[in-house]
Amino acid sequence: MPKVTEEYIINKKKMITDAAYELCLEKTVSTVTMQDIINRTGLSQGGIYRFYRDIDEIFGDMLADMRKKVTIKEQVDEILGQADELPAAEVTYRICDMLAEHMEAELMGIQKIDFEMSILAMNAPERVDKILTKAQGMGNKEYLMRRMSEFYKKKLDSGELHAKVNEIELLSFISSAYTGIQSCCIVYNCYNKSPFTPAYQPRIQFKVLAKTINYLLGIEK
């Protein structure tokens, strides 16, 4: 029997996670099964279990691949790297513009999968804990919130900003608003198109969010 190389294992795993990604775009995450992936890859049942014990291990590697492929970390760092030369309001607008562009580009892809993972987390939290442990690393939203927290804390501590809410309240609002925008844009564009769909577009929603953040920071009326 020929020796199986590391390259062979990597390629097979990628074929499996790519198939899982395609299926998650076609179906909802919670309805994708091992049999679906077996059918898509053409591997036997025994063949696929040589590489993964269950579908959540596959989703874990799929999520890790997604995080490497589509990241906003460099863009966040670039904008915040100029923060000392820019008004705080402009930083907020640039961050929200970047988020809108990123969400538009991935609304029917990674954003859809991320949204469905959050629903899975409500119904089967132990599954998502396992998936996230396998995926490792910090996701886009977690990284964004950490860096924004550092930025706003610095501005608030220096007295440059006189916010209407404290730092924790502000960050929790931004996090909730981001999740709400993501959810509504996906629902109205992917699943339930209606007369309200034109209003639920990332650029419109994030423009309003930027104005609201700057209002809460005491920058805009």
Side-chain angles (χ1 to χ4, degrees):
M1 182 177 177
K3 183 179 179 181
V4 175
T5 65
E6 185 67 25
E7 182 181 7
Y8 174 86
I9 294 171
I10 290 171
N11 289 338
K12 283 294 184 183
K13 283 190 167 187
K14 187 176 188 308
M15 179 179 71
I16 293 167
T17 55
D18 284 350
Y21 178 77
E22 292 169 4
L23 287 162
C24 286
L25 298 185
E26 296 168 15
K27 306 175 66 174
T28 58
V29 169
S30 62
T31 61
V32 176
T33 65
M34 284 293 274
Q35 190 60 52
D36 289 330
I37 297 173
I38 288 168
N39 294 342
R40 179 61 58 94
T41 59
L43 291 170
S44 67
Q45 190 174 56
I48 202 165
Y49 281 106
R50 288 179 61 192
F51 302 101
Y52 291 102
R53 289 177 293 182
D54 57 38
I55 195 165
D56 291 337
E57 282 197 351
I58 296 174
F59 283 161
D61 277 355
M62 179 191 76
L63 192 60
D65 289 343
M66 286 166 48
R67 287 179 173 180
K68 291 175 185 175
K69 189 184 302 182
V70 180
T71 177
I72 62 172
K73 295 176 184 178
E74 289 185 4
Q75 292 165 286
V76 171
D77 288 344
E78 181 179 353
I79 294 169
L80 294 181
Q82 304 168 16
D84 289 339
E85 288 77 47
L86 294 171
E90 179 64 20
V91 173
T92 300
Y93 278 113
R94 291 192 185 190
I95 287 288
C96 286
D97 284 345
M98 179 272 296
L99 291 175
E101 183 177 343
H102 169 71
M103 190 173 286
E104 278 184 345
E106 293 294 335
L107 193 62
M108 304 298 187
I110 288 174
Q111 294 288 335
K112 171 186 177 292
I113 294 173
D114 184 55
F115 170 67
E116 291 174 354
M117 282 285 181
S118 67
I119 294 175
L120 184 63
M122 289 186 281
N123 296 311
E126 71 288 343
R127 285 192 62 191
V128 174
D129 284 345
K130 180 179 178 181
I131 292 167
L132 293 176
T133 298
K134 178 75 173 171
Q136 299 181 337
M138 186 180 294
N140 282 328
K141 183 181 174 183
E142 291 81 5
Y143 186 78
L144 171 69
M145 297 310 297
R146 191 190 78 182
R147 296 286 280 117
M148 291 299 286
S149 175
E150 294 168 354
F151 168 69
Y152 288 131
K153 186 176 188 306
K154 179 181 177 181
K155 295 293 184 181
L156 291 168
D157 288 349
S158 69
E160 183 177 338
L161 299 177
H162 302 283
K164 302 177 187 296
V165 294
N166 64 42
E167 179 202 348
I168 300 300
E169 291 169 337
L170 177 65
L171 269 294
S172 64
F173 167 75
I174 294 173
S175 177
S176 299
Y178 178 95
T179 300
I181 290 170
Q182 181 190 51
S183 301
C184 288
C185 286
I186 289 169
V187 167
Y188 279 97
N189 287 277
C190 296
Y191 312 119
N192 184 32
K193 292 187 178 181
S194 77
F196 296 103
T197 297
Y200 286 105
Q201 301 303 319
R203 287 195 184 277
I204 294 172
Q205 297 293 313
F206 276 107
K207 184 176 181 180
V208 175
L209 177 60
K211 289 181 178 180
T212 306
I213 292 171
N214 285 336
Y215 169 77
L216 292 174
L217 288 172
I219 301 171
E220 296 183 359
K221 295 182 179 180

